[in-house]
């Protein structure tokens, strides 16, 4: 992909909201509580898929709001942990992308939506990419000629990166954008277990989020048959205070990993980056309270040594915040929304340039 060009990113630089935007904690907490201001509610259709393991998977499909864009592009979005198409930051980004002529598809992580029942013994995990692969396959059946750009937020960034690095993927996928992922679940979890700088607070919130999803569907996930099959103890699941404890009591047993560390290592996208054959952009903030600096060094080195990869690091932005403008009240559209849409446009332009170059070379030969 080469070095970033000025046209790849918004021409207006990133200026955080002045009163609180220079704090990663404020950015992250406001993102988790408020999401986005003046958030639109895009209109789309919900697609239901029955998977081979008995799971019911859904994704929401949104058509572009303008038809002046020549390319047929579908942005395949994978949200963060416990998030879905109904999450405020996803809705804002989808609407902004629609306004720029892109079709969007948003994966709804299994177990997250109250309106969709869990029909198998599992919910989503950190590293299983089959759900995302099923959405991509469904999209290509609906739109065989579309080109797909994969976009993942936080956990979703890990999933799309791992998905693209696991195997040969459809040629229609022309690139990916990963935002605020941690790359290495083993190291990230060890870091979040520390008490300094509110790390355990964030880990507690993440743990309770996943635990609430499990308990919400416990009539299926914790039925007598499932508990016996996987040797699950509901008391241990309910008492888990950290993600490693919850994953020991539930996740690694359901997915049959010998240890939690084995599951985390298998799930970490860092172990799959070298096999990615598409242009990739990785975006992180240095003040992200969920992703320490030492997790960013490996992806920096990867991007520096792979010409189809680009790493973008901002001093501020927190975890999925990137609010900008104003003294107290930020702009409705964040720097992140603007930047990701611009990066998608850059990936599309690079793909088209490559096609032209190949056609020219074949004519010369």
């Amino acid at each position: 992909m080469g070095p970033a060009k000025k046209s790849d990113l918004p021409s207006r630089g990133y200026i955080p909201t002045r009163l609180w935007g220079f704090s990663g904690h404020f950015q992250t907490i406001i993102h988790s509580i408020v999401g986005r201001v003046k958030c639109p509610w895009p209109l789309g259709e919900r697609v239901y898929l029955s998977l081979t393991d008995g799971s019911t998977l859904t994704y929401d499909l949104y058509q572009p709001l303008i038809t002046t864009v020549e390319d047929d592009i579908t942005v395949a979005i994978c949200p963060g942990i416990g998030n879905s198409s109904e999450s405020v930051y996803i809705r804002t980004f989808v609407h902004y992308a629609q306004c720029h002529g892109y079709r969007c598809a948003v994966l709804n992580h299994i177990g997250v939506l109250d309106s969709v029942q869990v029909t198998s013994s599992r919910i989503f995990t950190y590293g299983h990419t089959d759900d995302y692969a099923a959405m991509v396959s469904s999209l290509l059946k609906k739109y065989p000629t579309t080109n797909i750009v994969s976009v993942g937020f936080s956990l979703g960034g890990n999933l799309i990166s791992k998905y693209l690095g696991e195997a040969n993927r459809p040629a229609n996928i022309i690139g990916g954008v990963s935002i605020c992922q941690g790359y290495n679940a083993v190291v990230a979890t060890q870091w979040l277990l520390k008490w300094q700088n509110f790390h355990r607070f964030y880990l507690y919130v993440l743990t309770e989020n996943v635990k609430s999803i499990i308990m919400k569907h416990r009539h299926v996930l914790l039925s007598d048959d499932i508990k016996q099959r996987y040797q699950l103890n509901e008391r241990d699941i309910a008492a888990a205070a950290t993600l490693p404890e919850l994953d020991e009591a539930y996740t690694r047993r359901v997915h049959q990993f010998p240890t939690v560390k084995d599951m985390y290592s298998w799930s970490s996208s860092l172990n799959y980056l070298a096999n990615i054959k598409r242009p990739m952009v990785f975006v992180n903030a240095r003040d992200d309270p969920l992703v320490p600096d030492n997790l960013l060094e490996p992806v920096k080195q990867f991007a520096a040594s792979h010409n189809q990869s680009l790493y973008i690091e901002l001093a501020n932005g927190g975890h999925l915040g990137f609010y900008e403008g104003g003294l107290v009240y930020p702009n409705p559209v964040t720097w992140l929304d603007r930047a990701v849409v611009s990066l998608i446009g850059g990936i599309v332009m690079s793909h088209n340039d490559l096609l032209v170059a190949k056609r020219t070379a074949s004519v010369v030969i």
Side-chain angles (χ1 to χ4, degrees):
M1 197 170 179
K5 301 176 182 178
K6 288 185 177 180
S7 59
D8 292 335
L9 296 172
S11 57
R12 188 171 77 251
Y14 177 47
I15 304 176
T17 303
R18 291 176 186 172
L19 189 62
W20 47 264
F22 293 90
S23 165
H25 290 294
F26 274 107
Q27 288 260 12
T28 302
I29 292 169
I30 289 173
H31 159 77
S32 63
I33 296 174
V34 178
R36 297 290 186 259
V37 296
K38 297 181 181 178
C39 178
W41 197 291
L43 297 177
E45 63 170 305
R46 180 153 293 167
V47 181
Y48 289 78
L49 302 175
S50 296
L51 305 185
T52 55
D53 67 352
S55 299
T56 300
L57 179 69
T58 67
Y59 68 90
D60 285 71
L61 187 60
Y62 305 91
Q63 301 301 331
L65 295 178
I66 62 171
T67 57
T68 55
V69 178
E70 294 182 4
D71 300 291
D72 182 355
I73 304 297
T74 301
V75 182
I77 301 166
C78 193
I81 188 168
N83 297 157
S84 69
S85 63
E86 297 179 0
S87 301
V88 174
Y89 74 100
I90 295 293
R91 286 160 42 197
T92 303
F93 173 72
V94 165
H95 179 73
Y96 192 69
Q98 284 180 289
C99 291
H100 286 75
Y102 299 123
R103 180 188 300 111
C104 293
V106 182
L107 182 73
N108 296 313
H109 291 301
I110 290 177
V112 172
L113 293 176
D114 293 336
S115 58
V116 180
Q117 291 296 312
V118 170
T119 57
S120 70
S121 60
R122 71 170 180 91
I123 58 172
F124 68 94
T125 70
Y126 321 120
H128 286 86
T129 60
D130 290 348
D131 294 347
Y132 188 79
M135 179 178 76
V136 171
S137 295
S138 174
L139 288 170
L140 292 177
K141 288 180 182 178
K142 288 178 176 290
Y143 310 103
T145 61
T146 192
N147 284 324
I148 293 176
V149 178
S150 295
V151 173
F153 296 88
S154 191
L155 163 77
N158 180 77
L159 284 171
I160 67 133
S161 301
K162 183 173 184 282
Y163 165 79
L164 291 173
E166 283 176 327
N168 290 328
R169 295 304 182 183
N172 302 60
I173 301 178
I174 61 173
V177 182
S178 161
I179 304 113
C180 291
Q181 68 153 308
Y183 307 100
N184 187 331
V186 176
V187 177
T189 308
Q190 292 171 349
W191 186 80
L192 286 170
L193 285 169
K194 298 178 181 178
W195 288 97
Q196 303 97 313
N197 205 26
F198 300 103
H199 299 166
R200 285 293 283 261
F201 166 75
Y202 293 110
L203 185 61
Y204 170 79
V205 172
L206 292 173
T207 305
E208 290 302 307
N209 189 357
V210 178
K211 191 196 302 183
S212 68
I213 293 171
I214 295 171
M215 302 310 290
K216 178 173 62 177
H217 300 286
R218 63 180 177 272
H219 63 288
V220 176
L221 299 174
L222 301 177
S223 66
D224 291 340
D225 174 60
I226 296 299
K227 285 194 287 188
Q228 185 176 5
R229 187 189 311 172
Y230 298 113
Q231 299 184 351
L232 302 177
N233 186 315
E234 189 168 342
R235 287 185 179 179
D236 291 343
I237 295 170
T242 66
L243 276 179
E245 291 177 10
L246 183 59
D247 290 331
E248 170 59 36
Y250 175 75
T251 315
R252 73 98 179 160
R253 297 172 185 270
V254 170
H255 293 283
Q256 301 180 326
F257 285 92
T259 67
V260 171
K261 185 176 181 180
D262 288 328
M263 184 179 74
Y264 287 170
S265 179
W266 175 85
S267 300
S268 300
S269 70
L270 183 64
N271 299 322
Y272 303 85
L273 296 184
N275 296 324
I276 296 177
K277 307 301 182 185
R278 308 286 193 277
M280 280 293 300
V281 183
F282 304 96
V283 181
N284 286 94
R286 282 203 303 274
D287 66 354
D288 186 336
L290 274 70
V291 182
D293 286 347
N294 61 324
L295 289 181
L296 303 180
E297 287 305 317
V299 75
K300 289 181 188 179
Q301 296 173 14
F302 171 80
S305 59
H306 290 75
N307 61 8
Q308 285 201 107
S309 296
L310 175 67
Y311 174 71
I312 299 172
E313 183 180 279
L314 281 79
N316 305 107
H319 191 74
L320 299 179
F322 298 95
Y323 295 97
E324 66 177 349
L327 178 62
V328 178
Y329 199 68
N331 298 338
V333 175
T334 67
W335 177 89
L336 188 61
D337 299 321
R338 297 189 297 115
V340 175
V341 167
S342 293
L343 289 167
I344 292 168
I347 290 172
V348 173
M349 289 176 61
S350 296
H351 175 73
N352 291 342
D353 289 346
L354 183 61
L355 290 179
V356 171
K358 287 182 177 179
R359 291 192 192 108
T360 304
S362 62
V363 169
V364 171
I365 292 172

